[in-house]
Amino acid sequence: FFIVGLIFIPIGIGIFVTSNNIREIEIDYTGTEPSSPCNKCLSPDVTPCVCTINFTLEKAFEGNVFMYYGLSNFYQNHRRYVKSRDDSQLNGDSSALLNPSKECEPYRRNEDLPVAPCGAIANSMFNDTLELFLIANESDPTPTPIRLIKKGIAWWTDKHVKFRNPPGEGTLEERFKGTTKPINWLKPVYMLDSEEDNNGFINEDFIVWMRTAALPTFRKLYRLIERKNDLHPTLPAGQYYLNITYNYPVHSFDGRKRMILTTVSWMGGKNPFLGIAYITVGSIAFLVGVVLLVINHKYRSTSNTADTVAF
Amino acid sequence: MMCVPREEVVRAEDERLLQANNRKLTTYFGYPDNAIKTSKYNALNFLPMNLFEQFQRLANAYFLILVFLQLIPQISSLASYTTVIPLMVVLSITAVKDAIDDLKRHQNDNQVNNRSVLLLVNGRMEEDKWMNVQVGDIIKLKNNQRVTADILLLSSSEPYSLAYVETAELDGETNLKVKQAISVTSDLEDNLELLSAFDGEVKCDPPNNKLDKFAGILTYKGQKYLLDHDKLLLRGCIIRNTDWCCGLVIYTGPDTKLMKNSGKSTFKRTHMDHLVNVLVLWIFLLLGIMCFVIAVGHGIWQSKIGYYFQIFLPWENYVSSSVVSATLIYWSYFIILNTMVPISLYISVEIIRLGNSFYINWDRKMFYAPKNTPAQARTTTLNEELGQVKYVFSDKTGTLTQNIMVFDKCSIYGKLYGGSCDKGGSKVPDSKKEKVDFSYNKLANPNFSFYDNTLVEAVKSGDNWVHLFFLSLSLCHTVMSEEKVEGKNVIVAGRSKNVGMPIAVLPHADGVHEHPGGDATVTVSHHYTPKEQLKKHTILADIVVSAAGELVYQAQSPDEGALVTAARNFGFVFRSRTSETITVIEMGVTRVYQLLAILDFNNVRKRMSVIVRTPEDRLMLFCKGADTIICELLHSSCTDLNNVTMEHLDDFATKGLRTLMVAYRELDAAFFQTWSHKHSSACLSLEGRENKLSIIYEEIEKDLMLLGATAIEDKLQDAVPETIITLNKAKIKIWVLTGDKQETAVNIAYSCSIFDDEMDRVFMVQGKNYETVYQELRTARAKMKPESLLESDPTNIHLSTKPKMPFAVPDEEPNGNYGLVISGYSLACALEENLELELLRTACMCKGVICCRMMPLQKAQVVELVKRYKKAVTLAIGDGANDVSMIKGIIFWGFIAAAHIGVGISGLEGMQAMLNSDFSFSQFHYLQRLLLVHGRWSYNRMCKFLSYFFYKNFAFTLVHFWYAFYNGFSAQTVYDSWFITCYNLIYTSLPVLGLSLFDQDVSEMWSLCFPELYEAGQHNLFFNKKKFMNCLLHGIYSSFVLFFVPMGTIHNSERSDGKDISDFQTFSLIVQTSLMCVVTMQIALKTTYWTLMSHLFIWGSLGFYFCMLFLLYSDGLCLMLPNIFQFLGVARNSLNQPQLWLSIILSTVLCIIPAVGYIFLKPLFYPASVNKVFDRIHHCMKYPLPPPVQTRLKHASLRRSAYAFSHQQGFGALITSGKTMKIRPKKKNSSPFKN
């Protein structure tokens, strides 16, 4: 117990401190509050709807900064949701492309054409567009857009092994011939991105979305903001605004949408849980150890005398 | 199993009609032939039938239902392979086992069906196979043959067409039963012509299973004769002492009473089985409740959130409302949580039991080298029960004792011979003593050994008293000798239990090794028998006729045999007897004594006498009998001698020897004349003959002159007292159930320490009617625990408030050490309805209980009594066929009575007990090893196994419950479905099997040194409902930790490269890896005995898990079947994350801490006796071993052993009547001798 205590407390403190050093900012842009700039987008009439949210970074974000979108109350872990996909199709299997798995129902076929990518997961892909601008200073209102990198946000294995476009010559469009886009999508899968290696099934936004979350509240990596150089912080303190192309409806099921900016440490993003847990467990173990030692000492002596009497 | 009658005709039969030598009629009625079929399957129907049977088991059926549930897409929450694969494995293992069993049965059937028998065909006796015998055939059976079918006895070689059969296989009784043919058929004899011409018609009952009921009518030559069961030889009996007999086949094959009765063989289930079944039901209940909670939760979620979430996840079209959805979810969760009742539980239990049985079979320390018999676990399902035994019911003869009587000591005319004390009074160990050389006597028995040379010198020097003493021994008995004419150079080594049968009957000895009838085990050796073998034979024998080969002593009791053999060795060889003479070779001189009268033994007289006329024409009466009786009859001049002899007797008695007093009287011719007159008239009187005779006997058996006393050692088996002391320390109560006389039984009880002199009192219950027995039992109980008779006693209250049948009588603590002796007659009364509780409560308070004069059936009744009212495990141990009733169980009153465990001592008394036992070995003292070492280990292992097994499955399954709250109660699994498939089957099976096969909390040495350790098992401390609740709570806690720690770790968190960590696949990887670590650590904690194997299994399995992880999540597999192997790359991408490892460590530590704390705190707060013993063991291990506790066999001198004649009355009359003599010659020339 002492050992556990002694080991755990420092680890816990270490983790806690690391976690606390991480800069993180979270901006909810669901727009349910009337005051929110995105409130207007709740009504389905306004399409496309763009809203802007201002925020301030008190401290500069150093190192690589990651931009996430977070959803709440979104049951990406619902059983029927989770299985509503066809991995063969996503892997580029031609027969599965034209004849998706039954699991994809009711997003398997649309108007007699197979849906690619099929299933509820793909259908519900997050399709807000987020853009970040730095308002350099009060006097100069022309904002600087922050460069957001959209590649390298998915797992290497996902992008290169698990997800593949259908084989064949010609353009993606030809390869996806005979399929139709998911109902909710605005454009077909082969038009997700302009770049060839980030289009179709291997579009990284798509891949990230397809990796379903374990909990109903989750965040998914949206963009990377690479650090510039050692001298300048990646995101200096100051005024920013977030430009949102509001497409994704979560209002109906009380969902929330967030945008998160964060830096990372050796042990990932800001998460005080492990640190606190370690400290707690360590100290409890230590305390219990002390108590046990006392009890043991006390009882050992009494039981010893009892034993000697018994013999 | 029951063989179903094959033909409708047979089933409809309400009367059986058959005619001898008429097969047409048989075919007409369609009676089955004599082939039997006990096998269940054949090659074609094996698969469907076996599967059908397997699915009749609740567990298998349950899993089959689960598979079907999984096939319904609406509710299938798991891929069906998660259940199908384990189910297939389990089913195929069982099927293979069943197939092997059935193959054995096939072979057995074949063997039985192909046995040959003499069948009368067309006027000739032909050898034919058993299965070809048909109803109406006439068959001829020879001595020691098994009866082929149920046959009507027609004729036999014996006078009056008697036939003797042994029915041990049917009812477990070893004594021979007499069957007699009706006179009209007995004239047929074995005359083939007559037999072939015999055309009697038999009308009788249809086949039934009543062994003692048969009624029929034989119509022969126009006459009708009644037939009853005395004329029916049943299949399974063995012909004994009858050269041949002929019979008419009545019932065949499946119709025989044996087959009609078979199939009810007991399937013993252990307490643990019952407990597990109850727990499984509990789990089902819990499962139902949890599913219900979840279903309700789902209903609410569906209407609150799910309904609105339909923009992304529309409801299935068959879901009309949230209620429907909730109902479906109920079943989905039923499938997911099914692992709470793990399919591999039952199969693992079987494997563990099998393994532990092998330990017993392989135990070299339970291997009896002299007879090359290892211990055998004949049933593999009872191992852990061995660790819980509370009551041991033991047979005496052959189990506790070797059933060898040895003439050990004697006191002749006030002088002690054969004392193990030398002049200084110190004990001389046997090995140092010199054996007496009997070479001066050619007729001596080489097996006999005596260690006091002074006696031989006394004999040689011609001491008158010594001569007279041995003369009386060689005259006063009812032993029969037999001269062997044909079989010269024969050694006959015999052994018999005292069932009143001649020990060895050797009809033919010319070159044929025979095992003659009766209960005896007889070895015959010839002059060409190798010397080593000769030695072996003689070692085992208690009666040996040596190289001269002329003498076979047929003693009814080994005691007598021992005495006569002793006399023979000292030079007074009892040679032969006729109805009027006894020939004795006295120191080489043959003398013929005229036998005038035998005053036979009976239970009241406790003595026997012979009156002989010596060659010198003196009339002598020799008497031997119980010391208490004889000393009353002594002449007054013997008082001093009597006192000295009494001292010697006390000395003998304290050593546990069986004593006899020998006296003589010289009779006056005139006195004898008048007495003889009276005697013969009394013999002829019809009324009260017994009484009259005994009065007349008493007239002549007085004024006896004391010659001395003998002491016979009823040799105990090796290490019996030590074993019993050890078992007593383990709080195992030993009841001896014996057919012996009370004195003998009590004697043995003392000498093997069931009773000891420090006991406060030994109660005797000898009443012969209800009131006396009741009174005696009450008195005994009043002594032991006065308050137990009061109304206010908790037990009484308990008994009066719970009058329902299945209740348990709680244990009661007496205020001291007591013993109880109860005789068979009293037992018969005590086993009546109203008294049995009295008996039980009294008997269970005693440290030792001796039941003597028991019939085989009573043995079973006593066992049943304890089994019924005590919540304790019983074990019956015995060696003879008469113990089968308590070992295997017999059917009485419609239910099967048998001890929970039956142990057979193999070897001496034939195979009956062994074949019917659950465990068998050849020495009683192996029992302590079986119980204290193997039993305890098996029990501990089983308990550890169960508690761990339940724990691991709770921890595994309940995670889903917690997860339900976060995924909309949608029956989403936490784990990869492959993990679910493999978890019980592969990942965790080996460690838990390793634990339950190799673990031992203390070594065998310590468990024998500290029998107290055994007590935990008796009270079932290691696994009971409380322990189960502990497992459940710990499992719930663990699953809680296992779910929430990873959840906290990944919630709103990112990987160190910024990618999100909170995806489902990573999460399940963390949870399942943590789970593996936790259960591995847990099992490591439980393991107390680390071997290479356990290291290999435990860490190997963890390692294997990681290997499997990388394999299952590898590119290749996933690319081949992307829809089945979905977790591509998760292991590679996640296991390099520090958070993940931190979280695994955290959950492991959190799960372990309570267990460690519990282990640490338990001995402090609840210092159970077991832990104290552990402390002592650790203490002993650290410091040099304390000297082993000496088991001193101390006997206070106050106890007097009584007379130990153990034979039946009536043989004296038989000898003088000359009946046996007359039958013999008939056998030799087999001339019909009938009138």
Side-chain angles (χ1 to χ4, degrees), chain B residues 143 157-159 162 164 176 240-244 482 484 486 502 504-508 514 516-517 554 1220-1233:
Chain B
N143 197 12
S157 60
E158 302 302 295
L162 293 178
Y164 301 93
L176 300 192
R240 298 287 195 204
N241 295 1
T242 311
D243 274 357
W244 54 262
E482 203 170 353
K484 279 289 131 194
E486 299 128 291
V505 181
L506 287 170
H508 320 282
E514 272 202 47
Q554 301 175 4
T1220 35
M1221 314 292 170
K1222 273 178 207 157
I1223 293 171
R1224 298 267 169 235
K1226 201 206 116 262
K1227 263 189 181 173
K1228 264 172 212 162
N1229 36 32
S1230 79
S1231 69
F1233 183 82

CSV table of all heavy atoms in Angstrom, one decimal, chain B residues 143 157-159 162 164 176 240-244 482 484 486 502 504-508 514 516-517 554 1220-1233:
chain,number,residue,atom,x,y,z
B,143,ASN,N,-20.7,-75.3,-11.7
B,143,ASN,CA,-20.3,-74.6,-10.5
B,143,ASN,C,-19.5,-73.3,-10.9
B,143,ASN,O,-18.7,-73.3,-11.8
B,143,ASN,CB,-19.4,-75.5,-9.7
B,143,ASN,CG,-19.3,-74.9,-8.3
B,143,ASN,OD1,-20.1,-74.1,-7.9
B,143,ASN,ND2,-18.4,-75.5,-7.5
B,157,SER,N,-27.0,-81.3,-9.2
B,157,SER,CA,-26.2,-82.4,-8.8
B,157,SER,C,-26.4,-82.7,-7.3
B,157,SER,O,-26.0,-83.8,-6.8
B,157,SER,CB,-24.7,-82.0,-9.0
B,157,SER,OG,-24.4,-80.9,-8.3
B,158,GLU,N,-26.9,-81.8,-6.6
B,158,GLU,CA,-26.9,-81.9,-5.1
B,158,GLU,C,-28.2,-82.8,-4.7
B,158,GLU,O,-29.1,-82.9,-5.5
B,158,GLU,CB,-27.0,-80.6,-4.4
B,158,GLU,CG,-25.8,-79.7,-4.8
B,158,GLU,CD,-24.5,-80.3,-4.4
B,158,GLU,OE1,-24.2,-80.5,-3.2
B,158,GLU,OE2,-23.7,-80.6,-5.3
B,159,PRO,N,-28.1,-83.3,-3.5
B,159,PRO,CA,-29.3,-84.0,-3.1
B,159,PRO,C,-30.5,-83.1,-3.0
B,159,PRO,O,-30.4,-81.9,-2.8
B,159,PRO,CB,-28.9,-84.5,-1.7
B,159,PRO,CG,-27.6,-83.9,-1.3
B,159,PRO,CD,-27.0,-83.4,-2.6
B,162,LEU,N,-31.0,-79.5,-4.8
B,162,LEU,CA,-30.7,-78.2,-4.3
B,162,LEU,C,-29.7,-77.5,-5.2
B,162,LEU,O,-28.9,-78.2,-5.8
B,162,LEU,CB,-30.2,-78.3,-2.9
B,162,LEU,CG,-31.1,-78.8,-1.8
B,162,LEU,CD1,-30.4,-78.9,-0.5
B,162,LEU,CD2,-32.3,-77.9,-1.7
B,164,TYR,N,-27.1,-74.0,-4.9
B,164,TYR,CA,-26.8,-72.8,-4.1
B,164,TYR,C,-26.4,-71.7,-5.0
B,164,TYR,O,-25.7,-71.9,-6.0
B,164,TYR,CB,-25.6,-73.2,-3.2
B,164,TYR,CG,-25.9,-74.3,-2.3
B,164,TYR,CD1,-25.6,-75.6,-2.6
B,164,TYR,CD2,-26.4,-74.1,-1.0
B,164,TYR,CE1,-25.8,-76.7,-1.8
B,164,TYR,CE2,-26.7,-75.1,-0.2
B,164,TYR,CZ,-26.4,-76.4,-0.5
B,164,TYR,OH,-26.7,-77.5,0.3
B,176,LEU,N,-25.0,-67.7,0.8
B,176,LEU,CA,-25.6,-68.4,-0.3
B,176,LEU,C,-27.0,-68.6,-0.1
B,176,LEU,O,-27.5,-68.7,1.1
B,176,LEU,CB,-24.9,-69.8,-0.4
B,176,LEU,CG,-23.4,-69.7,-0.7
B,176,LEU,CD1,-22.8,-71.1,-1.1
B,176,LEU,CD2,-23.0,-68.7,-1.8
B,240,ARG,N,-22.9,-71.7,-6.8
B,240,ARG,CA,-21.9,-72.1,-5.9
B,240,ARG,C,-22.1,-73.5,-5.3
B,240,ARG,O,-23.3,-73.8,-5.1
B,240,ARG,CB,-21.8,-71.1,-4.7
B,240,ARG,CG,-21.5,-69.7,-5.1
B,240,ARG,CD,-20.1,-69.5,-5.5
B,240,ARG,NE,-19.7,-68.1,-5.6
B,240,ARG,CZ,-18.7,-67.6,-6.3
B,240,ARG,NH1,-18.0,-68.4,-7.0
B,240,ARG,NH2,-18.4,-66.3,-6.3
B,241,ASN,N,-21.0,-74.1,-5.0
B,241,ASN,CA,-21.1,-75.4,-4.3
B,241,ASN,C,-22.1,-76.4,-5.0
B,241,ASN,O,-22.7,-77.2,-4.3
B,241,ASN,CB,-21.6,-75.2,-2.9
B,241,ASN,CG,-20.6,-74.4,-2.1
B,241,ASN,OD1,-19.5,-74.0,-2.7
B,241,ASN,ND2,-20.8,-74.2,-0.8
B,242,THR,N,-22.3,-76.3,-6.2
B,242,THR,CA,-23.2,-77.2,-6.9
B,242,THR,C,-22.5,-77.5,-8.2
B,242,THR,O,-22.1,-76.6,-9.0
B,242,THR,CB,-24.5,-76.4,-7.3
B,242,THR,OG1,-25.0,-75.8,-6.1
B,242,THR,CG2,-25.6,-77.4,-7.8
B,243,ASP,N,-22.3,-78.8,-8.4
B,243,ASP,CA,-21.5,-79.2,-9.6
B,243,ASP,C,-22.1,-78.8,-10.9
B,243,ASP,O,-21.5,-78.2,-11.8
B,243,ASP,CB,-21.3,-80.7,-9.6
B,243,ASP,CG,-20.1,-81.1,-8.7
B,243,ASP,OD1,-19.4,-80.1,-8.2
B,243,ASP,OD2,-19.8,-82.3,-8.6
B,244,TRP,N,-23.4,-79.1,-11.0
B,244,TRP,CA,-24.1,-78.6,-12.1
B,244,TRP,C,-25.6,-78.4,-11.8
B,244,TRP,O,-26.1,-79.0,-10.8
B,244,TRP,CB,-24.0,-79.6,-13.3
B,244,TRP,CG,-24.3,-81.0,-13.0
B,244,TRP,CD1,-23.5,-82.0,-12.6
B,244,TRP,CD2,-25.7,-81.6,-12.9
B,244,TRP,NE1,-24.2,-83.2,-12.3
B,244,TRP,CE2,-25.5,-82.9,-12.5
B,244,TRP,CE3,-26.9,-81.1,-13.2
B,244,TRP,CZ2,-26.6,-83.8,-12.4
B,244,TRP,CZ3,-28.0,-81.9,-13.0
B,244,TRP,CH2,-27.9,-83.3,-12.6
B,482,GLU,N,-10.0,-81.5,5.8
B,482,GLU,CA,-10.2,-82.3,4.6
B,482,GLU,C,-9.0,-82.9,4.1
B,482,GLU,O,-7.9,-82.2,4.0
B,482,GLU,CB,-10.9,-81.4,3.6
B,482,GLU,CG,-11.7,-82.2,2.6
B,482,GLU,CD,-12.5,-81.3,1.7
B,482,GLU,OE1,-12.5,-80.1,1.9
B,482,GLU,OE2,-13.1,-81.8,0.7
B,484,LYS,N,-6.8,-84.3,1.2
B,484,LYS,CA,-6.8,-84.1,-0.2
B,484,LYS,C,-6.3,-85.4,-0.8
B,484,LYS,O,-5.1,-85.7,-0.6
B,484,LYS,CB,-6.0,-82.9,-0.6
B,484,LYS,CG,-6.7,-81.6,-0.5
B,484,LYS,CD,-7.7,-81.5,-1.5
B,484,LYS,CE,-9.0,-81.1,-0.9
B,484,LYS,NZ,-10.2,-81.2,-1.8
B,486,GLU,N,-6.8,-86.3,-4.4
B,486,GLU,CA,-6.3,-86.1,-5.7
B,486,GLU,C,-5.1,-85.1,-5.8
B,486,GLU,O,-4.1,-85.3,-6.5
B,486,GLU,CB,-7.4,-85.6,-6.6
B,486,GLU,CG,-8.5,-86.5,-6.7
B,486,GLU,CD,-9.9,-85.8,-6.4
B,486,GLU,OE1,-10.1,-85.5,-5.2
B,486,GLU,OE2,-10.6,-85.7,-7.3
B,502,PRO,N,-17.7,-72.8,5.1
B,502,PRO,CA,-16.5,-73.5,5.1
B,502,PRO,C,-15.5,-72.6,4.3
B,502,PRO,O,-15.8,-71.9,3.4
B,502,PRO,CB,-16.7,-74.8,4.4
B,502,PRO,CG,-18.2,-75.0,4.5
B,502,PRO,CD,-18.8,-73.6,4.6
B,504,ALA,N,-12.7,-73.3,2.6
B,504,ALA,CA,-12.2,-73.7,1.3
B,504,ALA,C,-12.8,-75.0,0.9
B,504,ALA,O,-12.7,-76.0,1.6
B,504,ALA,CB,-10.7,-73.8,1.3
B,505,VAL,N,-13.4,-75.0,-0.2
B,505,VAL,CA,-13.9,-76.3,-0.8
B,505,VAL,C,-13.2,-76.4,-2.1
B,505,VAL,O,-13.3,-75.6,-3.0
B,505,VAL,CB,-15.4,-76.2,-0.9
B,505,VAL,CG1,-15.9,-77.5,-1.5
B,505,VAL,CG2,-16.1,-75.9,0.3
B,506,LEU,N,-12.5,-77.5,-2.2
B,506,LEU,CA,-11.7,-77.7,-3.4
B,506,LEU,C,-12.2,-79.0,-4.1
B,506,LEU,O,-11.7,-80.1,-3.8
B,506,LEU,CB,-10.3,-77.8,-3.1
B,506,LEU,CG,-9.6,-76.6,-2.7
B,506,LEU,CD1,-8.2,-76.9,-2.1
B,506,LEU,CD2,-9.5,-75.6,-3.8
B,507,PRO,N,-13.1,-78.9,-5.0
B,507,PRO,CA,-13.6,-80.1,-5.6
B,507,PRO,C,-12.6,-80.7,-6.5
B,507,PRO,O,-12.4,-81.9,-6.5
B,507,PRO,CB,-14.8,-79.6,-6.4
B,507,PRO,CG,-15.0,-78.2,-6.0
B,507,PRO,CD,-13.8,-77.7,-5.5
B,508,HIS,N,-11.9,-80.0,-7.3
B,508,HIS,CA,-10.9,-80.5,-8.1
B,508,HIS,C,-9.6,-79.8,-7.9
B,508,HIS,O,-9.6,-78.5,-7.9
B,508,HIS,CB,-11.2,-80.4,-9.6
B,508,HIS,CG,-12.7,-80.7,-9.9
B,508,HIS,ND1,-13.2,-82.0,-9.9
B,508,HIS,CD2,-13.7,-79.8,-10.1
B,508,HIS,CE1,-14.5,-81.9,-10.1
B,508,HIS,NE2,-14.8,-80.6,-10.2
B,514,GLU,N,-8.2,-73.2,-8.8
B,514,GLU,CA,-9.7,-72.9,-8.7
B,514,GLU,C,-9.9,-71.9,-7.6
B,514,GLU,O,-9.1,-71.9,-6.6
B,514,GLU,CB,-10.4,-74.2,-8.4
B,514,GLU,CG,-10.9,-74.9,-9.7
B,514,GLU,CD,-12.0,-75.8,-9.4
B,514,GLU,OE1,-13.0,-75.3,-8.8
B,514,GLU,OE2,-12.0,-76.9,-9.9
B,516,PRO,N,-12.6,-71.7,-5.2
B,516,PRO,CA,-13.9,-72.3,-4.8
B,516,PRO,C,-14.9,-71.3,-4.2
B,516,PRO,O,-14.6,-70.1,-4.0
B,516,PRO,CB,-13.4,-73.3,-3.7
B,516,PRO,CG,-12.0,-73.3,-3.8
B,516,PRO,CD,-11.5,-72.1,-4.4
B,517,GLY,N,-16.0,-71.9,-4.0
B,517,GLY,CA,-17.1,-71.0,-3.7
B,517,GLY,C,-17.1,-70.3,-2.4
B,517,GLY,O,-16.1,-70.3,-1.7
B,554,GLN,N,-11.3,-76.2,7.6
B,554,GLN,CA,-12.4,-75.4,7.2
B,554,GLN,C,-13.0,-74.8,8.5
B,554,GLN,O,-13.7,-75.5,9.2
B,554,GLN,CB,-13.5,-76.2,6.6
B,554,GLN,CG,-13.0,-76.8,5.3
B,554,GLN,CD,-14.1,-77.7,4.7
B,554,GLN,OE1,-15.2,-77.8,5.2
B,554,GLN,NE2,-13.7,-78.4,3.6
B,1220,THR,N,-22.6,-83.7,7.0
B,1220,THR,CA,-21.6,-83.2,6.0
B,1220,THR,C,-20.7,-84.4,5.6
B,1220,THR,O,-20.2,-84.4,4.4
B,1220,THR,CB,-20.7,-82.2,6.7
B,1220,THR,OG1,-20.5,-82.5,8.0
B,1220,THR,CG2,-21.3,-80.8,6.5
B,1221,MET,N,-20.5,-85.3,6.5
B,1221,MET,CA,-19.6,-86.4,6.1
B,1221,MET,C,-20.2,-87.2,5.0
B,1221,MET,O,-19.6,-87.7,4.1
B,1221,MET,CB,-19.4,-87.3,7.3
B,1221,MET,CG,-19.0,-86.6,8.5
B,1221,MET,SD,-17.4,-85.9,8.4
B,1221,MET,CE,-17.4,-84.9,9.9
B,1222,LYS,N,-21.5,-87.3,5.1
B,1222,LYS,CA,-22.2,-88.2,4.1
B,1222,LYS,C,-22.2,-87.6,2.7
B,1222,LYS,O,-22.1,-88.3,1.7
B,1222,LYS,CB,-23.6,-88.6,4.6
B,1222,LYS,CG,-23.6,-89.7,5.5
B,1222,LYS,CD,-25.0,-90.0,6.0
B,1222,LYS,CE,-25.0,-90.7,7.3
B,1222,LYS,NZ,-26.2,-90.5,8.1
B,1223,ILE,N,-22.3,-86.4,2.7
B,1223,ILE,CA,-22.5,-85.8,1.3
B,1223,ILE,C,-21.2,-85.9,0.6
B,1223,ILE,O,-21.2,-86.1,-0.6
B,1223,ILE,CB,-22.9,-84.3,1.5
B,1223,ILE,CG1,-24.4,-84.3,2.0
B,1223,ILE,CG2,-22.9,-83.6,0.1
B,1223,ILE,CD1,-24.8,-82.9,2.4
B,1224,ARG,N,-20.1,-85.7,1.3
B,1224,ARG,CA,-18.8,-85.7,0.6
B,1224,ARG,C,-18.6,-86.9,-0.3
B,1224,ARG,O,-18.2,-86.6,-1.5
B,1224,ARG,CB,-17.7,-85.7,1.6
B,1224,ARG,CG,-17.7,-84.5,2.5
B,1224,ARG,CD,-16.8,-83.3,2.0
B,1224,ARG,NE,-17.2,-82.2,2.8
B,1224,ARG,CZ,-17.6,-81.0,2.3
B,1224,ARG,NH1,-17.7,-80.9,1.0
B,1224,ARG,NH2,-17.9,-80.0,3.0
B,1225,PRO,N,-18.7,-88.1,0.1
B,1225,PRO,CA,-18.4,-89.2,-0.8
B,1225,PRO,C,-19.2,-89.1,-2.1
B,1225,PRO,O,-18.7,-89.4,-3.2
B,1225,PRO,CB,-18.7,-90.4,0.0
B,1225,PRO,CG,-19.4,-90.0,1.2
B,1225,PRO,CD,-19.1,-88.6,1.4
B,1226,LYS,N,-20.4,-88.6,-1.9
B,1226,LYS,CA,-21.2,-88.5,-3.1
B,1226,LYS,C,-20.6,-87.6,-4.2
B,1226,LYS,O,-20.6,-88.0,-5.4
B,1226,LYS,CB,-22.6,-87.9,-2.7
B,1226,LYS,CG,-23.7,-88.3,-3.7
B,1226,LYS,CD,-24.7,-87.2,-3.6
B,1226,LYS,CE,-24.8,-86.5,-4.9
B,1226,LYS,NZ,-24.1,-85.2,-4.9
B,1227,LYS,N,-20.0,-86.6,-3.7
B,1227,LYS,CA,-19.3,-85.7,-4.7
B,1227,LYS,C,-18.3,-86.4,-5.5
B,1227,LYS,O,-18.1,-86.1,-6.6
B,1227,LYS,CB,-18.8,-84.5,-3.9
B,1227,LYS,CG,-19.7,-83.3,-3.9
B,1227,LYS,CD,-18.9,-82.2,-3.4
B,1227,LYS,CE,-19.8,-80.9,-3.4
B,1227,LYS,NZ,-19.2,-79.8,-2.7
B,1228,LYS,N,-17.5,-87.2,-4.8
B,1228,LYS,CA,-16.3,-87.7,-5.4
B,1228,LYS,C,-16.7,-88.7,-6.6
B,1228,LYS,O,-16.2,-88.5,-7.7
B,1228,LYS,CB,-15.5,-88.5,-4.4
B,1228,LYS,CG,-14.4,-87.6,-3.9
B,1228,LYS,CD,-13.7,-88.3,-2.7
B,1228,LYS,CE,-13.2,-87.2,-1.7
B,1228,LYS,NZ,-12.9,-87.8,-0.4
B,1229,ASN,N,-17.5,-89.6,-6.3
B,1229,ASN,CA,-17.8,-90.5,-7.4
B,1229,ASN,C,-19.1,-90.2,-8.1
B,1229,ASN,O,-19.6,-90.8,-9.0
B,1229,ASN,CB,-17.9,-92.0,-6.9
B,1229,ASN,CG,-18.5,-92.1,-5.5
B,1229,ASN,OD1,-19.4,-91.2,-5.2
B,1229,ASN,ND2,-18.1,-93.0,-4.7
B,1230,SER,N,-19.7,-89.1,-7.6
B,1230,SER,CA,-20.9,-88.5,-8.2
B,1230,SER,C,-21.9,-89.5,-8.5
B,1230,SER,O,-22.6,-89.5,-9.5
B,1230,SER,CB,-20.5,-87.7,-9.5
B,1230,SER,OG,-20.4,-88.6,-10.6
B,1231,SER,N,-22.0,-90.4,-7.6
B,1231,SER,CA,-23.1,-91.4,-7.8
B,1231,SER,C,-24.4,-90.8,-7.1
B,1231,SER,O,-24.3,-90.1,-6.1
B,1231,SER,CB,-22.7,-92.7,-7.0
B,1231,SER,OG,-22.7,-92.5,-5.6
B,1232,PRO,N,-25.5,-91.0,-7.8
B,1232,PRO,CA,-26.7,-90.4,-7.2
B,1232,PRO,C,-27.0,-91.0,-5.8
B,1232,PRO,O,-27.0,-92.3,-5.7
B,1232,PRO,CB,-27.7,-90.8,-8.2
B,1232,PRO,CG,-27.1,-91.9,-9.1
B,1232,PRO,CD,-25.7,-91.8,-9.0
B,1233,PHE,N,-27.1,-90.2,-4.9
B,1233,PHE,CA,-27.3,-90.7,-3.5
B,1233,PHE,C,-28.6,-90.0,-3.0
B,1233,PHE,O,-28.5,-89.0,-2.4
B,1233,PHE,CB,-26.1,-90.3,-2.7
B,1233,PHE,CG,-26.1,-90.8,-1.3
B,1233,PHE,CD1,-25.8,-92.1,-0.9
B,1233,PHE,CD2,-26.5,-89.9,-0.2
B,1233,PHE,CE1,-25.8,-92.5,0.4
B,1233,PHE,CE2,-26.6,-90.4,1.1
B,1233,PHE,CZ,-26.2,-91.7,1.4
